[in-house]
Amino acid sequence: MSTASETFEARLSRHHDELRWLYMELYNNGSMFAELIDTIRTYALARSGALQKSDASREQNPSWYKGNNLLGMMLYIDNFAGSMQGVRQKLDYIENCGVNYIHLMPFLDTTPGKSDGGYAVKDFRTVRPDLGTMEDLVSLTSACHDKGINVCMDFVMNHTSEDHEWARRARAGEGEYMSRYFFYDTFDEPALYEQTVPQVFPTTAPGNFTWLEDCHRYVMTSFYPYQWDLNYRNPRVFNEMMYNFLYLANCGIDIIRIDAVPYIWKELGTQCRNLKQVHTIVRMMRMIAEIVCPGILLLGEVVMEPEKVVPYFGTVDKPECHMLYNVTTMASTWNTVATRDTELLRSQLAAVFALPRQYVFLNYLRCHDDIGWGLDYGMLARRGITERAHKQYLNDYFQGCAGWSNSRGELYNADPVTGDARFCATTASLCGLEAAVNSGDEAAIDDAIRYDVMLHAYMFMQSGIPVLYSGDEIGQLNDYSYHNDPQKADDSRYIHRGRMDWDKAARAEVPGTVEQRLFTQLRHLEHIRRTEGAYCSDADAQVLDIEDPSVLGIQRSYQGETICGLFNFSEYDKTICVPYTGVDLVTGESDGAGDHIIPAHGFRLLKRTEQ
Ligand code: GLC
């Protein structure tokens, strides 16, 4: 057996030349490169025995995450269970949900009221004190590993909090630290940037720079004014951030979500998004991970149109991220909910299904962020639909005031100038459960549950890894209490970041309750997904040609087995002709070829038994 040191050298030798080449191309600094290698060696040797073992076994089986057995859930530690120790006590619940991958939303130290939900990190090596300690993190990850649960965390690379030590020292005028950010004495250069760089938060944090009254300088802040963009032209920033990454990896993290990755390189005269240096940095990070902690997966957060997303997978020879979010599919799904027209979604799914199978997407209905209406407006334009009017319709629909809608939710960053707005709400409220429960309308409640389950069944049928948003398994509704919290009131994303309602969760055990009906149906779907091989990432997936535009058909085939899913986005029952005899995967009953009724907002999952 080779020692940790031999293993490190062997892994390093596989990547050394390319890593050095890219590093020198970006920084032309041999001594900083030497420091990088020496330091990552210490992280490799400091990895625990258990993590080294898992690295070795995952290295042997690099497709370990591509099957049909991973199910994720994203959760806020405080909302879910108060603290890291609390989450540890709730691992049975997580297991009971069929979940074996949890994304712990940002938990590193941050300044209350200036935290952007934890995405303004004050210290990359300290857990937010009210959530626990680094030791708690290590014991939580190891308890998760004992249960076969993978742990994901955010690595916020683009910026630090203004209260991070580097920022404080920069603010005090220490040149060494100022060079880790973008500082300007006058607005001349920022003004040039503003000509080409779009705004992330046009209403809640307009512009890309912040004036610092105390030091009489501007600093670049693409997100909130207290999130200072890091300057990756400085190799010290790159090296230190890689050390932070490895430090966290050594706490037992399995999946690192690289937050806001497209933004990390800035160049005057550009949009400062997706520049080629970003890819160089991600590629270097991937190699560093493969050298030090090959059991880790990199998940890129690229909330952009499909042409911008896919390059973050890199190439077969030079991979970058292991996984990316299927963001356009998510937005197109909600577009279909509002329009009952699957055309856009079909074309989006067909495009994703045509991509190489080694590309693994994370599929989701809702997450902690808003839904941005990033749709194929070229396609809509060909049907005479304009972008602005369509976004207006979608936002009206989901607020429940257009198009026979039962949805409830709120706008996010409504920009009066462009007319643009994004949207926030929980899955259940979007599906009409909130309105139905409030009006006590049993038929509407049934319909909302059916819709919610159908959307999950469809999401599970996409290629990749499904991720649930905590609370969705029991149909948590929008939480309007953030309106009364001055630290949150401006950010409507808090509407879907409510506390986990454990009384509601307990009702998942009580037959006939809304929670039980949702929970058990989702569990059943998870079971089907896990037991049917055609759900794996390697399966061939296709969009079926169905005449009725409100019904989506997906077929997956793998090793001679074929399953087909029919999903009805309309409020009417639909009759669809199925070409083969099969067995209904939900009821277990045999079904002949021919006409099948798909109930309003319902679905059928069929496994072909003969031609
Ligand atoms: C990511 C996060 C979002 C946050 C932003 C800034 O997009 O998902 O919640 O506001 O990064 O860090």
Side-chain angles (χ1 to χ4, degrees):
M1 233 182 78
S2 35
T3 62
S5 167
E6 286 162 357
T7 308
F8 173 82
E9 298 307 329
R11 288 175 183 149
L12 175 63
S13 70
R14 278 204 289 280
H15 291 299
H16 179 274
D17 292 354
E18 189 195 344
L19 185 57
R20 186 165 203 284
W21 176 272
L22 292 180
Y23 194 95
M24 295 306 274
E25 189 183 55
L26 209 56
Y27 299 125
N28 194 22
N29 190 328
S31 54
M32 287 295 286
F33 180 73
E35 180 208 278
L36 178 77
I37 299 301
D38 282 349
T39 312
I40 69 171
R41 181 180 290 111
T42 62
Y43 282 102
L45 301 184
R47 233 160 134 66
S48 74
L51 294 178
Q52 288 184 33
K53 225 170 123 194
S54 139
D55 287 339
S57 89
R58 289 178 176 179
E59 217 175 17
Q60 288 301 308
N61 175 20
S63 296
W64 66 271
Y65 59 100
K66 295 183 182 167
N68 48 335
N69 59 346
L70 273 188
L71 175 67
M73 177 181 275
M74 44 195 304
L75 56 92
Y76 282 93
I77 295 171
D78 48 359
N79 287 340
F80 184 73
S83 66
M84 291 208 171
Q85 292 192 7
V87 174
R88 215 176 136 179
Q89 280 151 22
K90 295 280 184 206
L91 289 183
D92 288 345
Y93 176 80
I94 289 170
E95 246 185 340
N96 197 22
C97 292
V99 165
N100 53 6
Y101 142 17
I102 50 172
H103 175 182
L104 302 172
M105 297 303 291
F107 54 75
L108 293 173
D109 204 8
T110 184
T111 305
K114 288 184 169 182
S115 77
D116 183 23
Y119 286 97
V121 176
K122 204 159 108 180
D123 183 346
F124 291 94
R125 297 176 184 221
T126 305
V127 171
R128 224 173 82 191
D130 58 311
L131 301 180
T133 61
M134 274 295 166
E135 290 70 43
D136 291 337
L137 174 64
V138 174
S139 43
L140 175 59
T141 58
S142 101
C144 285
H145 294 161
D146 288 346
K147 285 184 173 289
I149 298 173
N150 295 284
V151 181
C152 169
M153 78 173 282
D154 289 270
F155 186 55
V156 187
M157 263 183 100
N158 179 68
H159 42 259
T160 73
S161 150
E162 65 174 358
D163 293 323
H164 188 282
E165 189 197 342
W166 298 355
R168 283 194 285 105
R169 297 180 77 165
R171 197 167 205 151
E174 284 189 54
E176 156 69 23
Y177 293 92
M178 288 176 73
S179 70
R180 299 185 188 192
Y181 299 94
F182 296 89
F183 275 93
Y184 304 92
D185 294 337
T186 69
F187 200 66
D188 297 345
E189 207 171 320
L192 292 174
Y193 272 109
E194 292 291 17
Q195 287 173 13
T196 55
V197 184
Q199 306 184 56
V200 181
F201 298 141
T203 326
T204 48
N208 289 289
F209 296 87
T210 298
W211 169 247
L212 304 174
E213 187 53 41
D214 50 346
C215 58
H216 277 83
R217 287 195 172 94
Y218 292 93
V219 67
M220 186 186 280
T221 54
S222 305
F223 293 82
Y224 279 109
Y226 51 78
Q227 289 167 307
W228 293 10
D229 289 69
L230 284 168
N231 183 357
Y232 280 89
R233 281 170 195 275
N234 181 345
R236 173 57 55 210
V237 168
F238 175 79
N239 282 20
E240 293 295 333
M241 290 303 282
M242 289 304 104
Y243 307 155
N244 285 332
F245 153 51
L246 297 177
Y247 174 85
L248 294 164
N250 282 0
C251 293
I253 302 299
D254 302 276
I255 302 167
I256 288 276
R257 174 184 182 274
I258 320 176
D259 180 60
V261 61
Y263 301 80
I264 61 179
W265 192 271
K266 320 294 195 278
E267 192 92 55
L268 205 57
T270 72
Q271 292 204 328
C272 296
R273 311 271 196 271
N274 308 303
L275 296 176
K276 79 173 197 318
Q277 292 85 347
V278 173
H279 290 281
T280 304
I281 289 175
V282 180
R283 174 69 190 139
M284 290 199 287
M285 193 167 168
R286 170 74 179 249
M287 285 190 277
I288 290 169
E290 286 185 7
I291 295 167
V292 178
C293 44
I296 274 214
L297 300 177
L298 300 182
L299 161 63
E301 191 227 0
V302 186
V303 180
M304 305 253 160
E305 53 272 43
E307 317 76 83
K308 309 263 171 59
V309 173
V310 171
Y312 284 88
F313 281 119
T315 63
V316 177
D317 290 342
K318 298 182 175 15
E320 296 177 22
C321 294
H322 297 83
M323 305 189 294
L324 294 167
Y325 288 94
N326 204 348
V327 57
T328 304
T329 301
M330 181 279 296
S332 306
T333 302
W334 291 112
N335 175 68
T336 311
V337 169
T339 59
R340 282 76 161 154
D341 183 348
T342 58
E343 189 190 5
L344 219 60
L345 182 58
R346 289 184 198 196
S347 110
Q348 165 62 19
L349 286 171
V352 174
F353 291 160
L355 291 171
R357 307 231 177 100
Q358 68 264 26
Y359 293 175
V360 174
F361 281 101
L362 278 203
N363 299 307
Y364 61 112
L365 293 171
R366 290 296 298 113
C367 70
H368 68 297
D369 278 331
D370 48 292
I371 305 171
W373 299 118
L375 304 170
D376 184 346
Y377 289 101
M379 191 161 175
L380 287 173
R382 289 194 284 284
R383 305 168 80 201
I385 299 171
T386 62
E387 180 169 339
R388 187 164 176 162
H390 191 63
K391 283 183 179 166
Q392 175 84 46
Y393 169 71
L394 295 171
N395 288 324
D396 287 350
Y397 179 89
F398 287 112
Q399 287 176 95
C401 44
W404 300 104
S405 162
N406 225 7
S407 282
R408 294 293 179 267
E410 290 180 353
L411 301 182
Y412 178 67
N413 265 279
D415 184 339
V417 181
T418 60
D420 207 9
R422 286 122 73 176
F423 205 79
C424 295
T426 67
T427 305
S429 289
L430 288 169
C431 286
L433 190 62
E434 180 178 330
V437 167
N438 287 344
S439 65
D441 178 341
E442 286 301 328
I445 293 177
D446 289 349
D447 179 71
I449 294 175
R450 199 162 48 245
Y451 211 169
D452 195 318
V453 174
M454 180 280 262
L455 289 178
H456 280 93
Y458 140 76
M459 192 257 283
F460 286 179
M461 230 186 156
Q462 294 168 30
S463 297
I465 302 172
V467 179
L468 302 173
Y469 188 57
S470 168
D472 277 2
E473 74 283 8
I474 49 164
Q476 276 213 172
L477 305 177
N478 291 336
D479 177 358
Y480 298 93
S481 67
Y482 82 95
H483 287 293
N484 308 320
D485 181 339
Q487 292 186 356
K488 297 178 177 166
D490 285 343
D491 194 331
S492 53
R493 290 177 297 179
Y494 286 101
I495 195 175
H496 51 247
R497 297 178 182 173
R499 266 186 195 286
M500 177 75 178
D501 182 342
W502 288 103
D503 293 335
K504 207 168 149 54
R507 288 199 291 275
E509 309 282 331
V510 182
T513 57
V514 168
E515 294 78 13
Q516 185 265 347
R517 287 156 69 194
L518 253 171
F519 191 88
T520 37
Q521 290 186 77
L522 294 191
R523 278 304 272 132
H524 191 189
L525 289 171
E526 285 151 24
H527 174 77
I528 295 171
R529 179 172 185 277
R530 215 162 258 166
T531 43
E532 291 297 330
Y535 277 94
C536 75
S537 292
D538 264 349
D540 176 55
Q542 292 178 37
V543 177
L544 296 174
D545 196 7
I546 290 173
E547 222 170 283
D548 190 313
S550 62
V551 178
L552 175 74
I554 298 177
Q555 179 171 283
R556 302 187 65 86
S557 308
Y558 186 65
Q559 295 183 340
E561 292 188 349
T562 297
I563 52 175
C564 123
L566 297 167
F567 307 96
N568 183 357
F569 284 81
S570 126
E571 61 272 52
Y572 302 107
D573 294 351
K574 296 284 174 159
T575 305
I576 304 294
C577 180
V578 177
Y580 40 74
T581 303
V583 56
D584 184 314
L585 288 173
V586 176
T587 62
E589 283 164 17
S590 298
D591 252 318
D595 285 350
H596 283 59
I597 293 181
I598 320 293
H601 296 154
F603 69 99
R604 298 293 294 272
L605 287 179
L606 295 165
K607 181 172 182 180
R608 179 157 78 183
T609 46
E610 59 183 76
Q611 214 62 41

